[in-house]
Amino acid sequence: MFSLGKCWWCELLPSACEGCACSILRNAREGQRFLILLKGTAEFLALGPGQSPQPTEYSFVRFKEGTCCAIFTFSQPPEAAAQVPAEREFIIDCRSIAALSPLTTPC
């Protein structure tokens, strides 16, 4: 019999953000810097103009437990006309991250 209550397949969906990366980000502090390796890849993620081989350094902003979203910022090199690097936001589901490499902050 069909019920208008909670759907049966909702019970099969994950109820929490689980996994190593999610656990690390749940406890990360704002401003902590990371390199990010996505699942199914062999190189740290590089976002920027062209095909730069250098991985992007991401600064942690916050983690949203209800959606498993991790929010980071990163800087892109300045364009020829602008002398200031552009800061961008990067939002990712923590369950898509295979590895995080914490970066130390210089003293």
Side-chain angles (χ1 to χ4, degrees), residues 8 30 32 63 75 99:
W8 65 269
E30 185 175 347
Q32 189 171 354
F63 177 71
S75 294

Side-chain angles (χ1 to χ4, degrees), residues 21 25 34-47 55-56 58 70 72 90-101:
L25 294 172
F34 294 95
L35 297 179
I36 298 173
L37 182 72
L38 299 179
K39 289 182 178 180
T41 65
E43 307 251 342
F44 284 106
L45 184 59
L47 294 179
T56 302
Y58 298 90
F72 296 88
F90 178 69
I91 303 169
I92 187 169
D93 187 317
C94 66
R95 296 169 293 187
S96 299
I97 300 173
L100 292 164
S101 179

Side-chain angles (χ1 to χ4, degrees), residues 38-91:
L38 299 179
K39 289 182 178 180
T41 65
E43 307 251 342
F44 284 106
L45 184 59
L47 294 179
Q51 297 296 324
S52 173
Q54 291 294 100
T56 302
E57 293 183 9
Y58 298 90
S59 293
F60 179 73
V61 176
R62 72 181 166 276
F63 177 71
K64 294 186 169 193
E65 185 70 43
T67 61
C68 302
C69 289
I71 302 170
F72 296 88
T73 57
F74 66 98
S75 294
Q76 288 185 326
E79 296 180 18
Q83 298 300 316
V84 179
E87 186 161 285
R88 305 280 188 229
E89 192 171 67
F90 178 69
I91 303 169

